[in-house]
Amino acid sequence: MISFRATSIAVTAALLAGCAAVPVDMEQRQPPLADGGDGPGIAHPEIWPAYDYPVPANPQAEQRIADLLNRMTLEEKIGQLVQADLCCVTPEDVRRYNLGSILVGGNSGPGGDDLAPAPEWLKAADEFYLASVDRSDGGVGVPLVWGTDAVHGHSNIVGATIFPHNIGLGAMRDPSLVEKIGAVTAKEIRVTGQEWTFAPTVAVPQDFRWGRAYEGYSSDPELVASYVGAMVRGLQGPPTNDNLLAGPYVIASTKHFLADGGTDRGVDQGDSSIDEETLRDIHGLPYGPAIGEGVATVMVSFSSWQGRKMTGNRSLVTDVLKDRMDFGGFVVSDWNAHGQVEGCTNESCPEALTAGIDMYMAPDTWKPIYEDLLARARSGEVSMERIDEAVARILRVKMRLGLFEAGKPSDRPLSGEYDLLGAPEHREVARQAVRQSMVLLKNQGVLPLRPGGRLLVAGDGADDIARQSGGWTLSWQGTGIDNSDFPGATSIFSGLKQTVEAGGGTAQLSPDGSFSERPDAAIVVFGEKPYAEFQGDRATLALDPELTAPYETMRKLKAQGIPVVALMLTGRPLYVNPALNMADAFVVAWLPGSEGGGVADVLVGNAAGQPRHGFTGKLPAAWPQTPAMEDGVLFPFGYGLTYGTAAQGWTPLPEIAVTETSDTRSWFTAGSPASGWSLLVGGEEGDVQTRVTTVPAEALRGRVRVTATDYLVQEGGRRFTIADGDTSVLLRNFEPVNVDRETNGDVKLLFTLRVWDAPDSASIGAGGESGRGAVSFDMQQSSEWRRYGIPLKCLRAQGADVTELTLPFILRTQGTADYALGEVRLGTDAEVDVPCS
């Protein structure tokens, strides 16, 4: 086979022979990145494995690329390097700026509706495509490519098949089924007109406090590597395929290069201080099979290695990935990740291009990035050689995709075949994945359940498809949705009910475990609630205390002599010893997705008491025996019982009191501020602030009375009755909070209020020593609690110093008021959005 890389380099070199390449001088902005240098964060390509990118050479395509590069204006070339999010771009923008790509973020959707029906997505795909190929301005009209986070099915689309998240797939140990999942996902993506998925995630999580750990298949690099080629093959077809859109395929993107799963303490977007050999052997290993299958794109990580941000690390992106590993597709950055590179901002970062980034994911900053790159190219600060090389890589992938000949999305194969979304054969693949992914950690003879008896199904997650699907499902965090948003899907309870009733039995749903007729057995569903990046980071490997309420349900049922099966929904192994001790059987269901019936397939046997489907899942990572992994392993990697495992006695596990698990996301709850924080009442400048420690209390010379009121728990809220005047209720902390990362997404400051008497005016704000910001909002009287939310990036825009918040919550009112504060936290699930104005 002719070397694709050698041919493309030869053609590009011939094209550029007459161009004067102006070297980029970055010394004033950042230290040298590679070129034989050494030091922290500088990789040594010679110690990395060398691969051969298997996509066949296409001389006709290379000649076409050369011709396009000769005819494209500088403005058109810069446009190809920029990707905008659907939230912040129009078809007219695409036409005017010749943008090479758009994406849809977790909270975006056509017309601003992330729950828009499938036809609206296809309509939008047509509109953006037609704008990109418009040549009325005399341009070449390169078609754009639309990227989406279809990370466990086409998970942005209502009605699509939702597969188990990757950690559950890792428990299956079945690469062939992973390939089928990729193929189904590609078909459903094509229905709505997109061509590119930001998947598979090939992270190798080493610390499961990381909030994106469930996006990785396993903590074992060999297991991850065994899946990567299969998923890429399912999505893209064989690497010899040169017209993916003629078949049922899309282009894939392995992510996040490199070691996003290896950051110190599992901090999202953090730093990995590991040595280069560990970086190579653990986190680099999955890129071999990805390149071996001709993956079309690679997304670079937010994170850093030895203090150097990956998005600006030429030694890894260019010298290792492109040169040593022979990656022949194009490299895309993550969501505004270029802004975190040393010397850069979200609006300006030529260093990323120099490092080897070919396409900037600049969702809401695409215009300043475009203008900045254009100005630097015109001045000669950015090399035309590097620009042309990046554009050539993008054009090469678009040609392999068949984008130039495919026509508008609605004219392509599979487009508009809406019956394929959640088709029965697709759901069966997902149901099989659910069956194979569940892991049995304990069974004292209660499983399998007989179908003809009375089954009680308890726990607040039993009939919640959003809960069982996790983050990156219809919305970014997987929140703000309910069962009505999942047509055709099956909750865990629904699947159990159908199966038990088919066998002549009955199934009762009772979240708190109460019943009128004594059940023969009970399944208690518990575990994590949906989350994605930022929100998912943990302080320890333990559930939040409020999520352990089902433990008491298990205890009450056990006290009545009822056999209990604990069914855990989780994106990671966690300390749950009390549940393991109480339950007669313990099953990890991970995040199974839309096909909850797969759970019943394994838990409920036949009339003879024999299994219909056995347990085959094995732990994809070790299970901790305490909330701190360094305290040792309870169940090792690869552990998992089967129905054939000999019965064993149970030695009670030690139980540790867990009172605090996530001290950076919840700032006020159950009537108290976070540990080390203070709840204050203040007034106008010069007034003495009163710290509220016990209630009832008075402040501002009796003008404010503070009492307790019920919120979620008895006396879980604080009520402020204000006689008149300028009054502020504040949270203060002595260790400043840095929420700068969170401002890069849609994370909000959430505060829950009940208002008996609304003030004349109100504002919500936050700040630190070097700046505060506040926004007015309509604080309306209501007999119900309401959860308000304002994006942190809005507070930053208003002047708040989000890198050093010492007053992270300032609620200011004017005039008489009477309201209660129930909770202050970070999140995305606001019921009332505060406008940023």
Side-chain angles (χ1 to χ4, degrees):
M1 181 183 294
I2 300 172
S3 168
F4 177 85
R5 176 169 168 264
T7 303
S8 62
I9 288 175
V11 172
T12 304
L15 168 70
L16 299 173
C19 299
V22 181
V24 184
D25 181 8
M26 291 291 132
E27 292 186 2
Q28 293 182 351
R29 294 173 63 100
Q30 182 170 299
L33 293 175
D35 301 326
D38 210 340
I42 300 297
H44 300 81
E46 67 277 6
I47 72 169
W48 289 72
Y51 305 113
D52 289 317
Y53 195 60
V55 178
N58 188 327
Q60 292 80 18
E62 290 305 312
Q63 187 55 53
R64 191 174 181 186
I65 291 169
D67 177 64
L68 283 169
L69 287 174
N70 272 328
R71 292 191 292 122
M72 291 172 75
T73 64
L74 177 59
E75 289 82 357
E76 288 177 293
K77 292 177 180 179
I78 298 299
Q80 288 300 301
L81 308 184
V82 179
Q83 182 184 61
D85 183 70
L86 196 60
C87 72
C88 309
V89 69
T90 66
E92 174 57 26
D93 291 329
V94 168
R95 186 198 65 78
R96 178 179 177 186
Y97 293 94
N98 307 112
L99 299 182
S101 178
I102 61 170
L103 80 149
V104 54
N107 285 335
S108 298
D113 181 9
D114 57 352
L115 298 178
E120 292 299 312
W121 291 80
L122 183 56
K123 178 184 176 184
D126 274 355
E127 292 171 349
F128 280 100
Y129 168 85
L130 292 172
S132 70
V133 298
D134 185 330
R135 301 179 184 174
S136 60
D137 60 355
V140 299
V142 176
L144 63 72
V145 60
W146 183 333
T148 183
D149 280 293
V151 294
H152 62 140
H154 196 16
S155 48
N156 276 311
I157 305 300
V158 172
T161 307
I162 307 298
F163 293 94
H165 266 297
N166 282 356
I167 193 168
L169 301 186
M172 298 189 316
R173 309 298 205 273
D174 190 344
S176 64
L177 185 53
V178 167
E179 184 172 348
K180 291 180 182 178
I181 290 170
V184 168
T185 301
K187 288 179 181 178
E188 296 201 11
I189 292 171
R190 292 289 302 280
V191 169
T192 56
Q194 287 71 52
E195 311 96 352
W196 180 13
T197 175
F198 302 134
T201 301
V202 301
V204 188
Q206 299 299 289
D207 189 325
F208 281 81
R209 291 176 292 182
W210 183 39
R212 304 188 71 166
Y214 64 77
E215 296 184 51
Y217 295 114
S218 173
S219 62
D220 180 70
E222 297 284 352
L223 176 55
V224 176
S226 74
Y227 274 13
V228 173
M231 180 59 83
V232 171
R233 196 162 52 248
L235 291 167
Q236 295 189 168
T240 54
N241 188 352
D242 65 353
N243 189 355
L244 276 66
L245 293 180
Y249 303 116
V250 296
I251 55 172
S253 183
T254 45
K255 65 181 187 182
H256 304 86
F257 188 87
L258 190 62
D260 52 335
T263 60
D264 302 341
R265 303 180 306 283
V267 174
D268 190 45
Q269 303 183 18
D271 183 60
S272 177
S273 59
I274 57 178
D275 60 45
E276 188 171 358
E277 288 75 13
T278 304
L279 181 73
R280 176 195 65 196
D281 297 341
I282 293 180
H283 304 284
L285 189 68
Y287 285 88
I291 291 170
E293 288 296 332
V295 68
T297 71
V298 169
M299 185 184 296
V300 176
S301 179
F302 274 110
S303 61
S304 57
W305 173 53
Q306 295 183 356
R308 190 180 297 276
K309 284 290 180 179
M310 291 288 175
T311 306
N313 194 324
R314 177 181 171 85
S315 71
L316 283 167
V317 177
T318 295
D319 300 346
V320 170
L321 177 63
K322 289 183 172 181
D323 294 344
R324 181 69 173 178
M325 291 184 170
D326 195 36
F327 171 61
F330 72 79
V331 175
V332 62
S333 59
D334 207 340
W335 184 284
N336 277 337
H338 57 270
Q340 297 185 11
V341 174
E342 183 180 355
C344 292
T345 66
N346 284 358
E347 294 74 26
S348 173
C349 190
E351 290 88 344
L353 183 67
T354 305
I357 298 297
D358 301 309
M359 181 179 287
Y360 287 73
M361 186 185 289
D364 53 355
T365 58
W366 63 267
K367 190 177 292 185
I369 279 291
Y370 170 92
E371 292 171 343
D372 182 75
L373 285 173
L374 182 61
R376 294 180 187 278
R378 285 172 173 165
S379 71
E381 183 181 349
V382 174
S383 163
M384 278 305 304
E385 182 179 15
R386 173 77 264 267
I387 291 171
D388 280 346
E389 195 258 340
V391 174
R393 283 178 173 269
I394 294 167
L395 295 177
R396 195 170 291 123
V397 169
K398 289 184 175 183
M399 288 180 183
R400 178 185 171 197
L401 184 57
L403 203 56
F404 285 84
E405 291 74 36
K408 67 180 187 293
S410 61
D411 290 340
R412 302 171 190 166
L414 305 183
S415 289
E417 295 186 26
Y418 301 116
D419 288 346
L420 288 176
L421 295 173
E425 62 271 24
H426 294 177
R427 293 190 184 278
E428 181 50 43
V429 173
R431 188 164 179 159
Q432 180 184 352
V434 175
R435 289 196 295 265
Q436 294 183 206
S437 64
M438 291 192 297
V439 178
L440 180 63
L441 297 182
K442 179 183 180 182
N443 186 17
Q444 300 296 94
V446 66
L447 292 176
L449 299 170
R450 290 182 178 270
R454 291 186 296 273
L455 178 65
L456 180 72
V457 184
D460 55 4
D463 193 32
D464 190 335
I465 300 170
R467 178 91 172 262
Q468 71 193 40
S469 297
W472 297 106
T473 305
L474 299 185
S475 69
W476 176 34
Q477 299 284 331
T479 55
I481 49 180
D482 57 35
N483 287 1
S484 66
D485 298 312
F486 295 89
T490 304
S491 73
I492 290 171
F493 169 71
S494 294
L496 289 165
K497 185 174 187 292
Q498 292 167 13
T499 302
V500 170
E501 289 181 348
T506 61
Q508 177 187 354
L509 177 65
S510 175
D512 66 358
S514 60
F515 55 85
S516 54
E517 189 174 8
R518 180 184 174 86
D520 298 313
I523 296 176
V524 180
V525 184
F526 77 106
E528 295 189 295
K529 289 187 176 181
Y531 57 82
E533 55 194 315
F534 303 125
Q535 290 299 107
D537 281 7
R538 311 295 300 161
T540 65
L541 292 175
L543 285 172
D544 285 327
E546 62 266 25
L547 297 179
T548 63
Y551 292 179
E552 179 62 15
T553 302
M554 295 181 205
R555 188 193 65 77
K556 289 180 179 178
L557 292 167
K558 283 285 292 180
Q560 298 173 77
I562 298 168
V564 171
V565 178
L567 184 74
M568 185 176 184
L569 300 174
T570 183
R572 53 190 147 200
L574 294 170
Y575 164 79
V576 286
N577 287 9
L580 280 161
N581 283 333
M582 275 185 283
D584 298 286
F586 191 102
V587 178
V588 186
W590 307 109
L591 299 170
S594 62
E595 305 314 301
V599 173
D601 291 344
V602 181
L603 298 191
V604 182
N606 59 27
Q610 299 300 312
R612 294 181 303 129
H613 295 274
F615 279 98
T616 59
K618 305 297 180 185
L619 286 180
W623 199 277
Q625 64 178 352
T626 78
M629 198 73 218
E630 58 266 26
D631 288 343
V633 171
L634 179 61
F635 299 111
F637 167 82
Y639 183 86
L641 304 177
T642 70
Y643 279 135
T645 303
Q648 298 176 344
W650 181 260
T651 301
L653 302 170
E655 298 183 14
I656 298 170
V658 177
T659 58
E660 188 176 353
T661 59
S662 184
D663 55 2
T664 62
R665 298 289 179 257
S666 183
W667 295 347
F668 179 85
T669 186
S672 298
S675 177
W677 292 34
S678 299
L679 175 66
L680 305 172
V681 177
E684 297 179 5
E685 195 73 27
D687 281 337
V688 175
Q689 294 180 339
T690 299
R691 182 184 177 199
V692 179
T693 55
T694 59
V695 288
E698 290 189 350
L700 300 180
R701 298 172 295 281
R703 189 161 57 80
V704 179
R705 180 171 173 78
V706 187
T707 55
T709 188
D710 293 344
Y711 174 71
L712 297 182
V713 297
Q714 186 175 5
E715 298 191 353
R718 291 294 177 263
R719 182 172 180 173
F720 303 89
T721 305
I722 302 169
D724 199 5
D726 185 334
T727 307
S728 295
V729 172
L730 315 93
L731 290 174
R732 183 181 67 194
N733 55 301
F734 294 100
E735 293 294 331
V737 173
N738 184 345
V739 294
D740 188 49
R741 292 182 309 140
E742 286 83 344
T743 62
N744 193 29
D746 293 325
V747 178
K748 300 173 183 177
L749 172 62
L750 302 174
F751 53 105
T752 303
L753 303 177
R754 182 180 177 186
V755 182
W756 289 270
D757 183 12
D760 296 337
S761 63
S763 67
I764 183 68
E769 295 301 321
S770 59
R772 299 184 187 182
V775 174
S776 298
F777 76 104
D778 187 8
M779 186 171 167
Q780 295 183 343
Q781 181 174 327
S782 173
S783 61
E784 303 293 331
W785 291 92
R786 289 179 176 176
R787 185 167 56 253
Y788 293 82
I790 182 168
L792 291 170
K793 60 186 176 184
C794 172
L795 293 175
R796 179 187 63 184
Q798 298 297 327
D801 181 3
V802 295
T803 67
E804 199 171 19
L805 292 179
T806 52
L807 291 171
F809 175 81
I810 307 170
L811 176 55
R812 185 174 181 180
T813 59
Q814 295 281 350
T816 302
D818 188 3
Y819 68 89
L821 179 66
E823 184 181 46
V824 180
R825 62 179 172 87
L826 299 183
T828 60
D829 52 333
E831 296 170 334
V832 181
D833 285 310
V834 175
C836 187
S837 60

